[in-house]
Amino acid sequence: MTQLNGGAALVAALEIHGVDTVFGIPGTHNLSAFAALASSRIQCVLTRHEQGAGYAADGYARVSGKPGVCLTTTGPAILNAAAAAAQAWSDSVPVLFVSPGMPTGHPGRGNGELHEVKDQQAALEALVAYSHRVRSVEEIPGAVAQAFAAMRTGRPRPVHLEIPLDLLEASAEVRLVDPIEPAVASARPEAVGAAARRLRGAQRPTLVVGGGARSAAGQVRRVAERLDAPVVTTANGKGVLDETHPLSVGAGLHHPSVRSLLEHSDVVLAVGTELAPSDLWNGPMVLDDKLVRVDIDAVSITTNGNPSMRVVGDAAVVLDQLLTALGGEDSDTASGDDAGRAAAARAGLRADAAVEGEPWRDIVEGLSSVVGDDTVIAGDSTMSCYYGVLSGVRVRRPAGFLYPTGGGTLGFGLPAAIGAALAPGRPRVLALLGDGGAMFTLPELATAAALGLSLPIVVVDNGGYGEIRNEMADRGDPIEAVRLGGVDFAAAARALGCHGLAIRSAAELAPAVEKAFAADRPTLLHITENSRATQDGVV
C-alpha cells in the first residue's frame, strides 16, 4: 500500500503494465497525471492536437504489438480524440484512452463546469469496447489492469478510462495491481482436427490473411509452406508474410485476379480477417462451402461469410495447433521455387495493380526501391496509398503498411508514423499523405521535429480531394467543394521545424527519401502532378 494521488496512481499503474510511451496534451484537469509522468520512466510525447495523439498511439500499437496510450484532458480534448478511438475500434487496435471526467458529486444535469459536456462517458462508450468511470482513487490501478486485460484478451479493441478530476488530485492508500495474464485462446481440438483433414485433402488451397494474424507471422509462413498454398492479404494483413516470399501473392482482395484465385480454390483458409466490404470493395465473395475460418472473435466468425468450418482462437496458437494436426513437412516451395499457383496469382495481381495504379506508378517505383526488411509505410486514406502502395509496393514485415482501413479517416498517416517510429526497435518509417489528408494533422510536423525523428513525409498533391472529385464526375454531378491547392507544403514544414523540399521530378523521389532517412529531423517531400510529368505526359 502506497499513499498516492490519483494522477500518480494512474502513472504507476501504467508503468507496472510496461507502458514506455504516452501520447497526449496536458490541461487544467489532468495536471497531476503529467506531474507524475515527469518523474516516471515513461516518455511523454506532446502532440499538437488530441486527434494526433490518438493516431500516434494507434501507430505505436500496430507496430509494437503493445497497447498504445493516449492521455487527454476533459470534454473537447477527449472528443478531439474520438475519431482516433473510432478508427482504432474499426481496425481492432488496442489503444487506452484516458481522460479526466467531471468531479464526483457533479450535478447530473450539469452546472457549467469548465470542459463540461452532456455525457462524456456515453460519447466514448459508443466508440470503444467500453468506457469505465472510476469511483475512487483506490480503484484506479485495478481499472487500468482490467483495461489492459481486455485489450490483450480476444479481439483487441480500444478502451476509455475516465477518472473524475477531483480524484486525480485526491490521495489515498493505493495497492498496485499486477498485470492480469490473458487466457491462452486455443481452439477446440476437434475443430482443429476437422480443419486439418479438410486442408490435407485440398488440391488448390489458398490463405487469406488479415490484421488479426500480425502476431502469427511465423505460423502463417509455415502453414503456407506446409500446404504449398498461395497467400493473399488484406490491407491490415499486408506484410504478415514477407511479400518477397515465393508464396506471397500480395495485398488487395478487391482485384479481379484475387477473386478468380479464391473462386477456383477448393479450400480457402481465412485467418484474422473480417472479409469486410472495406477490403473487398466490389461486393462480397461467396466462399461459404470452401471457407475454413480462424478468428479470435466468436461473434464475428460468421460475419461476411458463414464458413463451413469455424476455428475460434488466437491466430498464432491455432495455427500452431493446425501445424501439429497437419503433420508432414513444410513444402520445398519456401526454398525459392517461383513456379505454380502462387506465381500465377502473383502475376495476375501485379497486372491488376499496374492498371489500377498507373497514375501513381512513379510513386510506387520510387518507394519500392527504398523499402527494406524493417521499413514501415504509414499511409493516409489517399489514392496513392490504396490504388498504388497497397498492391504495388512489397513490404517485408508485419505492420509494414499502416492504413486506416475500416474507418477510412483522413489525417491518420503522419501521427501514425510518429507513433510507429517510437515503437521498440525504432523501425525505419516513412509517411505517405495526400494534400487533403495532410491538412488534417499538419501541425504534427512540429511534434516530429521536436522528437528529432529521421522521418520522410511524402505529400502527393493532386490539388484537392481527388477520390471525391472522381466520384462526383462519375455521377455526373457538378464538381463542388473538392478543389484545394496553393499550399507550399515544403515551406510549411520548414516553418514547423522540419526540412522541406519540393520534388521537381519523379526521379528525385527515391534519393530524397533515402537522404531523409538519415537526416537530423523530419523531411517533408512535396510532389505535385506537374512535377510528375514524364516524356509521355503526366503520370
Side-chain angles (χ1 to χ4, degrees):
M1 300 285 283
T2 307
Q3 185 81 15
L4 298 172
N5 67 22
L10 169 65
V11 171
L14 294 176
E15 280 190 306
I16 206 170
H17 282 81
V19 173
D20 55 28
T21 307
V22 167
F23 302 88
I25 300 176
T28 299
H29 291 162
N30 64 11
L31 294 180
S32 65
F34 277 86
L37 282 171
S39 58
S40 76
R41 299 186 302 273
I42 298 173
Q43 179 183 18
C44 179
V45 177
L46 173 62
T47 60
R48 299 316 189 255
H49 191 279
E50 290 87 1
Q51 190 174 115
Y55 293 145
D58 181 308
Y60 174 94
R62 295 191 198 212
V63 172
S64 70
K66 305 193 305 179
V69 180
C70 172
L71 174 61
T72 78
T73 194
T74 333
I78 186 61
L79 295 181
N80 281 343
Q87 179 60 59
W89 164 269
S90 69
D91 280 354
S92 302
V93 181
V95 178
L96 178 61
F97 291 86
V98 184
S99 74
M102 288 294 101
T104 56
H106 183 253
R109 295 189 63 84
N111 65 353
E113 180 78 43
L114 177 67
H115 298 330
E116 179 184 277
V117 295
K118 183 178 179 182
D119 194 335
Q120 175 179 289
Q121 186 185 358
L124 272 295
E125 179 71 34
L127 301 173
V128 298
Y130 70 82
S131 173
H132 175 65
R133 178 178 167 91
V134 303
R135 305 295 176 180
S136 67
V137 175
E138 295 89 339
E139 186 188 353
I140 291 172
V144 170
Q146 290 170 342
F148 273 81
M151 291 187 291
R152 289 170 169 165
T153 300
R155 185 174 184 175
R157 298 284 206 184
V159 171
H160 172 238
L161 183 62
E162 179 177 292
I163 305 175
L165 61 92
D166 56 322
L167 295 186
L168 282 169
E169 298 293 341
S171 296
E173 289 289 327
V174 172
R175 184 185 301 277
L176 296 179
V177 178
D178 288 334
I180 301 167
E181 196 68 29
V184 176
S186 58
R188 293 183 299 109
E190 55 269 31
V192 175
R197 289 190 293 273
R198 181 74 182 275
L199 289 163
R200 272 200 304 266
Q203 299 299 309
R204 300 179 306 282
T206 299
L207 270 66
V208 177
V209 175
R214 275 197 292 259
S215 63
Q219 290 87 345
V220 166
R221 177 184 54 78
R222 290 191 62 213
V223 168
E225 292 171 355
R226 185 75 54 88
L227 298 172
D228 196 12
V231 178
V232 62
T233 73
T234 66
N236 286 338
K238 185 174 173 67
V240 168
L241 180 65
D242 181 340
E243 291 188 307
T244 65
H245 190 285
L247 290 173
S248 172
V249 174
L253 302 190
H254 63 284
H255 292 296
S257 59
V258 172
R259 183 174 291 267
S260 177
L261 170 67
L262 298 181
E263 288 175 347
H264 288 89
S265 300
D266 54 357
V267 178
V268 175
L269 175 60
V271 184
T273 171
E274 292 177 294
L275 299 172
S278 56
D279 279 308
L280 296 173
W281 295 15
N282 301 311
M285 281 184 275
V286 180
L287 303 172
D288 296 358
D289 61 334
K290 65 179 73 175
L291 184 59
V292 177
R293 198 162 184 181
V294 175
D295 204 287
I296 191 69
D297 189 348
V299 174
S300 296
I301 205 162
T302 56
T303 300
N304 299 317
N306 185 21
S308 62
M309 293 186 175
R310 310 168 187 175
V311 189
V312 179
D314 176 80
V317 176
V318 170
L319 293 184
D320 276 334
Q321 291 179 280
L322 188 59
L323 284 162
T324 299
L326 284 169
E329 299 295 330
D330 297 345
S331 167
D332 289 340
T333 305
S335 67
D337 181 7
D338 249 5
R341 294 174 60 237
R346 182 166 57 250
L349 183 144
R350 288 181 181 175
D352 288 342
V355 172
E356 179 180 80
E358 174 59 25
W360 301 275
R361 174 171 51 85
D362 58 325
I363 305 296
V364 167
E365 290 175 353
L367 295 183
S368 292
S369 67
V370 300
V371 172
D373 293 358
D374 199 37
T375 305
V376 175
I377 300 174
D380 218 79
S381 185
T382 184
M383 299 167 83
S384 60
C385 282
Y386 50 78
Y387 292 138
V389 170
L390 170 61
S391 301
V393 176
R394 292 188 292 178
V395 300
R396 306 200 58 184
R397 53 157 293 160
F401 179 58
L402 309 184
Y403 181 73
T405 306
T409 181
L410 291 174
F412 172 86
L414 173 56
I418 293 170
L422 295 174
R426 299 297 172 97
R428 195 163 90 151
V429 182
L430 70 88
L432 180 61
L433 321 175
D435 54 312
M439 294 298 291
F440 278 55
T441 48
L442 192 70
E444 300 308 339
L445 289 172
T447 303
L451 293 165
L453 299 178
S454 301
L455 175 66
I457 302 135
V458 180
V459 177
V460 182
D461 186 345
N462 63 4
Y465 298 117
E467 180 69 39
I468 308 307
R469 181 172 56 208
N470 291 349
E471 290 179 14
M472 288 175 172
D474 290 343
R475 288 163 51 93
D477 292 347
I479 306 302
E480 181 65 25
V482 292
R483 296 182 181 89
L484 298 172
V487 176
D488 187 339
F489 284 99
R494 291 192 293 271
L496 290 168
C498 303
H499 297 299
L501 178 66
I503 298 295
R504 302 301 180 187
S505 70
E508 294 180 4
L509 179 60
V513 170
E514 283 290 5
K515 184 177 180 181
F517 277 132
D520 61 345
R521 67 189 77 174
T523 304
L524 186 143
L525 305 171
H526 183 199
I527 181 165
T528 65
E529 287 186 333
N530 289 338
S531 66
R532 297 166 61 207
T534 70
Q535 293 178 352
D536 299 322
V538 175
V539 296

mmCIF file of all heavy atoms in Angstrom, residues 18 20-21 59-61 63-66 374 397 419-427:
data_model
loop_
_atom_site.group_PDB
_atom_site.id
_atom_site.type_symbol
_atom_site.label_atom_id
_atom_site.label_comp_id
_atom_site.label_asym_id
_atom_site.label_seq_id
_atom_site.Cartn_x
_atom_site.Cartn_y
_atom_site.Cartn_z
ATOM 1 N N GLY A 18 4.038 -2.025 -18.231
ATOM 2 C CA GLY A 18 5.044 -1.983 -19.276
ATOM 3 C C GLY A 18 4.908 -0.836 -20.252
ATOM 4 O O GLY A 18 5.545 -0.846 -21.319
ATOM 5 N N ASP A 20 5.787 2.407 -21.976
ATOM 6 C CA ASP A 20 7.005 3.223 -22.065
ATOM 7 C C ASP A 20 6.771 4.553 -22.764
ATOM 8 O O ASP A 20 7.644 5.421 -22.745
ATOM 9 C CB ASP A 20 8.128 2.454 -22.759
ATOM 10 C CG ASP A 20 7.734 1.926 -24.135
ATOM 11 O OD1 ASP A 20 6.864 2.536 -24.798
ATOM 12 O OD2 ASP A 20 8.292 0.892 -24.550
ATOM 13 N N THR A 21 5.597 4.725 -23.391
ATOM 14 C CA THR A 21 5.318 5.950 -24.137
ATOM 15 C C THR A 21 3.847 6.312 -23.983
ATOM 16 O O THR A 21 2.968 5.442 -24.125
ATOM 17 C CB THR A 21 5.641 5.779 -25.632
ATOM 18 O OG1 THR A 21 6.980 5.299 -25.778
ATOM 19 C CG2 THR A 21 5.488 7.084 -26.387
ATOM 20 N N GLY A 59 -0.662 4.003 -34.187
ATOM 21 C CA GLY A 59 0.505 3.558 -34.943
ATOM 22 C C GLY A 59 1.510 2.835 -34.071
ATOM 23 O O GLY A 59 2.098 1.821 -34.471
ATOM 24 N N TYR A 60 1.722 3.347 -32.858
ATOM 25 C CA TYR A 60 2.615 2.697 -31.902
ATOM 26 C C TYR A 60 2.126 1.285 -31.602
ATOM 27 O O TYR A 60 2.907 0.327 -31.596
ATOM 28 C CB TYR A 60 2.677 3.522 -30.618
ATOM 29 C CG TYR A 60 3.458 2.880 -29.503
ATOM 30 C CD1 TYR A 60 4.804 3.180 -29.309
ATOM 31 C CD2 TYR A 60 2.857 1.972 -28.632
ATOM 32 C CE1 TYR A 60 5.531 2.591 -28.292
ATOM 33 C CE2 TYR A 60 3.576 1.368 -27.611
ATOM 34 C CZ TYR A 60 4.908 1.674 -27.438
ATOM 35 O OH TYR A 60 5.626 1.076 -26.431
ATOM 36 N N ALA A 61 0.817 1.133 -31.369
ATOM 37 C CA ALA A 61 0.262 -0.170 -31.014
ATOM 38 C C ALA A 61 0.402 -1.170 -32.161
ATOM 39 O O ALA A 61 0.750 -2.339 -31.946
ATOM 40 C CB ALA A 61 -1.208 -0.018 -30.617
ATOM 41 N N VAL A 63 2.611 -1.323 -34.558
ATOM 42 C CA VAL A 63 3.983 -1.743 -34.820
ATOM 43 C C VAL A 63 4.592 -2.474 -33.631
ATOM 44 O O VAL A 63 5.325 -3.451 -33.793
ATOM 45 C CB VAL A 63 4.835 -0.527 -35.219
ATOM 46 C CG1 VAL A 63 6.314 -0.889 -35.315
ATOM 47 C CG2 VAL A 63 4.346 0.029 -36.558
ATOM 48 N N SER A 64 4.301 -2.030 -32.422
ATOM 49 C CA SER A 64 4.912 -2.626 -31.231
ATOM 50 C C SER A 64 4.228 -3.916 -30.796
ATOM 51 O O SER A 64 4.839 -4.759 -30.133
ATOM 52 C CB SER A 64 4.876 -1.638 -30.060
ATOM 53 O OG SER A 64 3.536 -1.461 -29.591
ATOM 54 N N GLY A 65 2.956 -4.073 -31.147
ATOM 55 C CA GLY A 65 2.185 -5.198 -30.636
ATOM 56 C C GLY A 65 1.708 -5.001 -29.210
ATOM 57 O O GLY A 65 1.095 -5.902 -28.626
ATOM 58 N N LYS A 66 1.970 -3.818 -28.635
ATOM 59 C CA LYS A 66 1.522 -3.498 -27.278
ATOM 60 C C LYS A 66 0.443 -2.421 -27.350
ATOM 61 O O LYS A 66 0.399 -1.641 -28.304
ATOM 62 C CB LYS A 66 2.685 -2.967 -26.439
ATOM 63 C CG LYS A 66 3.907 -3.870 -26.380
ATOM 64 C CD LYS A 66 4.868 -3.429 -25.285
ATOM 65 C CE LYS A 66 5.294 -1.985 -25.404
ATOM 66 N NZ LYS A 66 6.211 -1.563 -24.321
ATOM 67 N N ASP A 374 12.863 -3.822 -42.627
ATOM 68 C CA ASP A 374 12.189 -3.318 -41.432
ATOM 69 C C ASP A 374 11.463 -2.003 -41.694
ATOM 70 O O ASP A 374 11.127 -1.282 -40.764
ATOM 71 C CB ASP A 374 13.204 -3.137 -40.299
ATOM 72 C CG ASP A 374 12.525 -3.064 -38.930
ATOM 73 O OD1 ASP A 374 11.532 -3.784 -38.726
ATOM 74 O OD2 ASP A 374 12.982 -2.276 -38.086
ATOM 75 N N ARG A 397 7.540 -7.003 -43.473
ATOM 76 C CA ARG A 397 7.335 -7.270 -42.051
ATOM 77 C C ARG A 397 5.877 -7.063 -41.692
ATOM 78 O O ARG A 397 5.170 -6.279 -42.342
ATOM 79 C CB ARG A 397 8.201 -6.344 -41.206
ATOM 80 C CG ARG A 397 8.048 -4.866 -41.531
ATOM 81 C CD ARG A 397 8.444 -3.993 -40.370
ATOM 82 N NE ARG A 397 7.512 -4.148 -39.256
ATOM 83 C CZ ARG A 397 7.782 -3.830 -37.996
ATOM 84 N NH1 ARG A 397 8.952 -3.327 -37.684
ATOM 85 N NH2 ARG A 397 6.887 -3.980 -37.044
ATOM 86 N N GLY A 419 4.041 7.646 -34.095
ATOM 87 C CA GLY A 419 3.895 6.584 -33.112
ATOM 88 C C GLY A 419 4.689 5.350 -33.485
ATOM 89 O O GLY A 419 5.350 4.726 -32.639
ATOM 90 N N ALA A 420 4.642 4.980 -34.766
ATOM 91 C CA ALA A 420 5.379 3.799 -35.222
ATOM 92 C C ALA A 420 6.882 3.986 -35.045
ATOM 93 O O ALA A 420 7.598 3.061 -34.650
ATOM 94 C CB ALA A 420 5.055 3.530 -36.687
ATOM 95 N N ALA A 421 7.372 5.192 -35.316
ATOM 96 C CA ALA A 421 8.806 5.461 -35.218
ATOM 97 C C ALA A 421 9.310 5.383 -33.780
ATOM 98 O O ALA A 421 10.512 5.213 -33.556
ATOM 99 C CB ALA A 421 9.116 6.830 -35.805
ATOM 100 N N LEU A 422 8.401 5.512 -32.802
ATOM 101 C CA LEU A 422 8.783 5.457 -31.393
ATOM 102 C C LEU A 422 8.593 4.074 -30.782
ATOM 103 O O LEU A 422 8.884 3.871 -29.601
ATOM 104 C CB LEU A 422 7.965 6.484 -30.597
ATOM 105 C CG LEU A 422 8.234 7.942 -30.969
ATOM 106 C CD1 LEU A 422 7.269 8.858 -30.221
ATOM 107 C CD2 LEU A 422 9.673 8.334 -30.678
ATOM 108 N N ALA A 423 8.101 3.121 -31.574
ATOM 109 C CA ALA A 423 7.906 1.763 -31.063
ATOM 110 C C ALA A 423 9.250 1.121 -30.759
ATOM 111 O O ALA A 423 10.275 1.485 -31.353
ATOM 112 C CB ALA A 423 7.140 0.934 -32.084
ATOM 113 N N PRO A 424 9.286 0.173 -29.824
ATOM 114 C CA PRO A 424 10.543 -0.516 -29.521
ATOM 115 C C PRO A 424 11.196 -1.073 -30.783
ATOM 116 O O PRO A 424 10.523 -1.612 -31.658
ATOM 117 C CB PRO A 424 10.089 -1.646 -28.590
ATOM 118 C CG PRO A 424 8.858 -1.100 -27.924
ATOM 119 C CD PRO A 424 8.172 -0.283 -28.979
ATOM 120 N N GLY A 425 12.494 -0.927 -30.865
ATOM 121 C CA GLY A 425 13.216 -1.342 -32.057
ATOM 122 C C GLY A 425 13.398 -0.231 -33.061
ATOM 123 O O GLY A 425 14.216 -0.324 -33.974
ATOM 124 N N ARG A 426 12.590 0.857 -32.902
ATOM 125 C CA ARG A 426 12.681 2.039 -33.751
ATOM 126 C C ARG A 426 12.821 1.675 -35.237
ATOM 127 O O ARG A 426 13.899 1.822 -35.834
ATOM 128 C CB ARG A 426 13.835 2.930 -33.311
ATOM 129 C CG ARG A 426 13.705 3.448 -31.877
ATOM 130 C CD ARG A 426 12.475 4.348 -31.723
ATOM 131 N NE ARG A 426 12.204 4.707 -30.351
ATOM 132 C CZ ARG A 426 12.586 5.851 -29.780
ATOM 133 N NH1 ARG A 426 13.271 6.743 -30.474
ATOM 134 N NH2 ARG A 426 12.270 6.110 -28.530
ATOM 135 N N PRO A 427 11.767 1.153 -35.847
ATOM 136 C CA PRO A 427 11.849 0.799 -37.267
ATOM 137 C C PRO A 427 12.033 2.021 -38.147
ATOM 138 O O PRO A 427 11.819 3.164 -37.718
ATOM 139 C CB PRO A 427 10.492 0.137 -37.533
ATOM 140 C CG PRO A 427 9.577 0.752 -36.530
ATOM 141 C CD PRO A 427 10.421 0.952 -35.300
#
